[in-house]
Amino acid sequence: MTAGFDNWSRRTDSDVKKILLTSLSAMIAETTTFPIDLIKTRLQLHGESLPSTRQASAFRIVFLIVKDDGVFGLYRGLSPAVVRHLFYTPIRIVGYEHLRALVPSSDHSPSLFSKAVIGGSSGVIAQVISSPADLVKVRMQADGRMVSPGLQPRYAGMFDALKKIIRAEGFGGLWKGVFPNVQRAFLVNMGELACYDHAKHFIIENQICDDNIYAHTLSSIMSGLSATALSCPADVVKTRMMNQAVNDENKVQYKNSYDCLVKTVRIEGLRALWKGFFPTWARLGPWQFVFWVSYEKFRQIAGVNSF
């Protein structure tokens, strides 16, 4: 009885450490790469309301943001993004490790398919819980587009956004776009967690390098590419679904995710589903590098086994 309690206590202490270390690493990674995420969001929304405007580029969007809002405009929406990761990242990372431990395997590592399913499932659970913070982040990032035409932004800050969204759209409005959000989360985590885990295992097992920063860097690059390729279309739909608000006639632009997908392809072409691909990859690559290298190092310092 005592031995069982001791084992449970050790597992609980280990999980608490992992949650704290995951949150810290995610905050560092999010703050470092947030401007790239803002550029990606603006690119994905470009052409939604003004399809006839000139083709946007990442450099032009950066120029307009700095011109209208200053350098700190590149961090519009950072607070809800950080709050989101305090829930999202610990749940998906720690949840993935728990689910992975339940899968029987002969060589101490589940198959790539099993890891993909586990990664996608843990991402879905985490995203459902953290979706309100993601909604606020997208709305605040999109608000910056109103400054250039001289319009007043919809929200003064994170808490003002929460209050106005609940008042106008109800408490359930905080989960607007949750289905495309969940679809994206499944694809991202299927690519990110499964690929990072599998690539790292392959690199170490084949003695390409030891379990160190080189293995973590190579694994994060490969997982970033796979996660971006899989998730970009769902990310475009998610961003547009979450950005839309009820107009004066109590109507919305898109009825559901499928309607958003069809209208986007019909008006802007198939390539529109990969709008923001390079900014997305440019963010996922550095984000994962900063996160995984920090997280693995923090785990080592805290005496927790490598991921």
Side-chain angles (χ1 to χ4, degrees):
M1 186 75 174
T2 304
F5 177 79
D6 289 341
N7 289 334
W8 177 83
S9 179
R10 280 195 295 271
R11 285 197 300 270
T12 302
D13 289 342
S14 177
D15 285 343
V16 170
K17 285 182 181 179
K18 290 176 184 178
I19 290 171
L20 293 175
L21 297 177
T22 305
S23 299
L24 177 60
S25 302
M27 288 172 62
I28 295 171
E30 189 68 18
T31 303
T32 304
T33 62
F34 187 79
I36 306 174
D37 185 50
L38 177 62
I39 296 166
K40 176 210 72 174
T41 299
R42 294 285 185 87
L43 280 171
Q44 290 173 337
L45 293 174
H46 180 76
E48 180 183 40
S49 56
L50 297 170
S52 61
T53 56
R54 57 183 288 188
Q55 182 69 31
S57 68
F59 293 108
R60 176 170 172 76
I61 286 175
V62 170
F63 172 77
L64 291 174
I65 292 172
V66 174
K67 175 187 172 185
D68 295 331
D69 297 333
V71 176
F72 289 108
L74 294 170
Y75 286 89
R76 182 186 291 271
L78 176 62
S79 53
V82 170
V83 170
R84 169 183 177 261
H85 274 287
L86 293 178
F87 296 93
Y88 177 68
T89 303
I91 293 172
R92 70 190 182 96
I93 297 293
V94 179
Y96 176 86
E97 287 195 84
H98 276 284
L99 292 174
R100 182 180 62 182
L102 298 176
V103 178
S105 59
S106 57
D107 60 346
H108 307 292
S109 180
S111 65
L112 180 59
F113 176 79
S114 297
K115 291 176 182 176
V117 173
I118 293 170
S121 300
S122 61
V124 166
I125 296 169
Q127 190 58 60
V128 169
I129 295 172
S130 61
S131 194
D134 204 14
L135 175 75
V136 172
K137 181 197 76 170
V138 170
R139 295 277 182 96
M140 289 182 66
Q141 287 180 331
D143 256 9
R145 297 185 304 164
M146 298 181 174
V147 176
S148 184
L151 301 175
Q152 185 69 25
R154 293 173 291 182
Y155 313 113
M158 182 175 70
F159 294 107
D160 180 58
L162 284 169
K163 183 174 68 175
K164 288 181 177 177
I165 291 169
I166 293 174
R167 184 191 303 152
E169 304 170 46
F171 189 73
L174 292 173
W175 274 268
K176 178 171 287 184
V178 67
F179 291 112
N181 221 358
V182 161
Q183 292 163 8
R184 175 189 177 273
F186 183 89
L187 294 170
V188 166
N189 286 280
M190 181 176 70
E192 179 189 339
L193 296 179
C195 186
Y196 178 85
D197 188 11
H198 209 73
K200 179 184 167 185
H201 183 78
F202 176 85
I203 289 168
I204 296 171
E205 188 179 59
N206 288 274
Q207 300 180 338
I208 297 174
C209 58
D210 295 328
D211 189 359
N212 52 31
I213 188 172
Y214 301 109
H216 307 155
T217 300
L218 289 172
S219 302
S220 67
I221 291 172
M222 287 184 275
S223 65
L225 280 170
S226 63
T228 305
L230 285 169
S231 67
C232 205
D235 195 27
V236 171
V237 173
K238 180 217 75 167
T239 299
R240 296 189 173 195
M241 285 291 294
M242 296 184 80
N243 180 59
Q244 68 172 349
V246 178
N247 61 22
D248 296 335
E249 299 177 357
N250 201 33
K251 294 182 179 179
V252 292
Q253 187 173 356
Y254 308 116
K255 298 176 183 177
N256 49 48
S257 302
Y258 179 73
D259 183 50
C260 179
L261 178 71
V262 171
K263 286 181 178 178
T264 299
V265 173
R266 185 172 66 234
I267 297 172
E268 302 171 55
L270 188 64
R271 290 176 60 186
L273 295 177
W274 276 270
K275 274 189 174 183
F277 176 87
F278 288 107
T280 300
W281 177 61
R283 179 183 187 252
L284 276 175
W287 195 99
Q288 291 197 44
F289 168 73
V290 174
F291 172 77
W292 287 112
V293 170
S294 300
Y295 184 47
E296 297 274 21
K297 188 64 177 178
F298 287 150
R299 284 175 71 124
Q300 181 184 358
I301 294 171
V304 180
N305 292 333
S306 173
F307 179 84

